[in-house]
Amino acid sequence: MKYAEFIDSVSDSRLDVCRAVFVANREKIKVKKEKTILKNLEKIFDATLKIGIEKGFQAMTMRDLSSEAGLSMGALYSYFSSKEEILRASLSEGRKIVWQILDEFIEREKEPVAKFEIALEVHLFLTEKMHKWFYFSYMEAKNLNPEERKKAVQNELYTEELIEGILIDGQKRGVFRETNHKLAASVIKAMLQDWYLKRGKYSKRNITVDEYAQFIIGFIHPFYLRPKGIV
């Protein structure tokens, strides 16, 4: 699958996050029109990511967010009582959407190799589509309270466990080699993260997400695929 095909097959993740936050916080948000709520939530989250990446979450203030989002302080506070609440809402609902999309694509495949390839491709494509969210989430996890930080770690492990499960199933079905699948999944996750954490490096080399995805898959295949004729 190519990145363009992926984009055509999934909904607008930014709008999905905003809609999920609206549903989860319907009783708290002091605005009545859903269309206005979604539009302003998008402004707030875009501003949070922009300022957070540029100057860091700790240095960011609600006044900064108000100015960047083009909303008055009163309007901003009608949605969230603090920047910490904005951070929790953005990360929590974003994680759910990432998990949902990954699961949906993987469940469509029946064979271990196809599952493995689609898991890597979709993860990379999601980090391309939601690059600011992924980068911000990784860098700002340290600023979460203990409970939310635990959830961030669980999110990190979720992808590794997903890959590990595919590798274990593939070994049982005689497709993948027997190896330390937990360690392998951890190394693969690091390779996936390199795309969005060091994106500038690949941009300077004119590497597209499609090229990176195919390189990673081709790089990993010889190590994990069991040679034909060996039982």
Side-chain angles (χ1 to χ4, degrees):
M1 178 173 60
K2 298 293 185 182
Y3 180 61
E5 298 172 53
F6 172 77
I7 292 297
D8 288 340
S9 66
V10 294
S11 57
D12 186 338
S13 53
R14 293 165 67 205
L15 184 58
D16 286 341
V17 171
C18 293
R19 187 173 288 112
V21 170
F22 164 61
V23 171
N25 299 273
R26 190 188 300 266
E27 301 302 320
K28 298 179 183 178
I29 296 176
K30 303 169 186 177
V31 180
K32 293 183 178 180
K33 293 184 179 180
E34 181 176 344
K35 186 176 180 180
T36 299
I37 292 173
L38 295 178
K39 181 180 179 180
N40 287 340
L41 283 175
E42 187 171 355
K43 289 180 180 179
I44 293 169
F45 290 137
D46 283 349
T48 301
L49 294 179
K50 184 176 186 296
I51 299 171
I53 291 173
E54 288 178 354
K55 62 188 291 187
F57 180 78
Q58 290 287 26
M60 179 171 58
T61 67
M62 290 292 276
R63 190 163 296 281
D64 290 333
L65 287 172
S66 169
S67 177
E68 182 64 37
L71 300 171
S72 68
M73 290 292 288
L76 182 58
Y77 276 109
S78 69
Y79 290 91
F80 299 102
S81 61
S82 67
K83 66 177 186 178
E84 287 77 17
E85 189 176 356
I86 297 174
L87 179 64
R88 286 195 299 272
S90 172
L91 298 190
S92 176
E93 299 308 325
R95 284 194 294 265
K96 292 176 185 176
I97 288 169
V98 168
W99 293 347
Q100 178 185 338
I101 294 175
L102 265 172
D103 287 342
E104 285 178 358
F105 275 88
I106 291 172
E107 287 175 5
R108 296 175 191 174
E109 306 297 337
K110 303 302 180 184
E111 299 301 320
V113 173
K115 284 180 177 289
F116 182 66
E117 291 181 354
I118 203 68
L120 302 193
E121 287 178 341
V122 170
H123 187 282
L124 284 170
F125 293 163
L126 279 168
T127 63
E128 177 70 8
K129 189 178 193 303
M130 302 170 64
H131 176 252
K132 288 184 178 180
W133 182 88
F134 271 91
Y135 184 85
F136 179 80
S137 300
Y138 183 89
M139 300 303 294
E140 297 300 336
K142 61 183 180 297
N143 291 314
L144 297 168
N145 63 43
E147 182 181 350
E148 291 298 321
R149 191 157 55 243
K150 182 179 179 181
K151 291 179 182 178
V153 172
Q154 290 174 339
N155 181 60
E156 182 83 7
L157 295 176
Y158 175 81
T159 310
E160 292 186 24
E161 291 170 356
L162 197 65
I163 295 171
E164 181 186 1
I166 294 172
L167 292 174
I168 291 173
D169 178 59
Q171 180 193 323
K172 290 178 179 178
R173 295 166 68 174
V175 177
F176 295 134
R177 300 173 186 268
E178 181 177 356
T179 186
N180 185 332
H181 298 306
K182 186 177 293 293
L183 179 58
S186 178
V187 171
I188 292 170
K189 173 71 175 189
M191 296 171 74
L192 297 175
Q193 286 179 322
D194 205 54
W195 176 255
Y196 64 89
L197 292 179
K198 301 176 182 178
R199 188 171 177 179
K201 174 176 66 175
Y202 297 106
S203 179
K204 289 179 181 178
R205 297 171 182 173
N206 296 316
I207 304 297
T208 67
V209 68
D210 286 318
E211 291 171 330
Y212 190 75
Q214 290 308 305
F215 177 82
I216 293 297
I217 291 172
F219 185 80
I220 294 171
H221 267 175
F223 181 74
Y224 290 110
L225 286 178
R226 185 187 295 272
K228 293 182 179 179
I230 296 180
V231 181

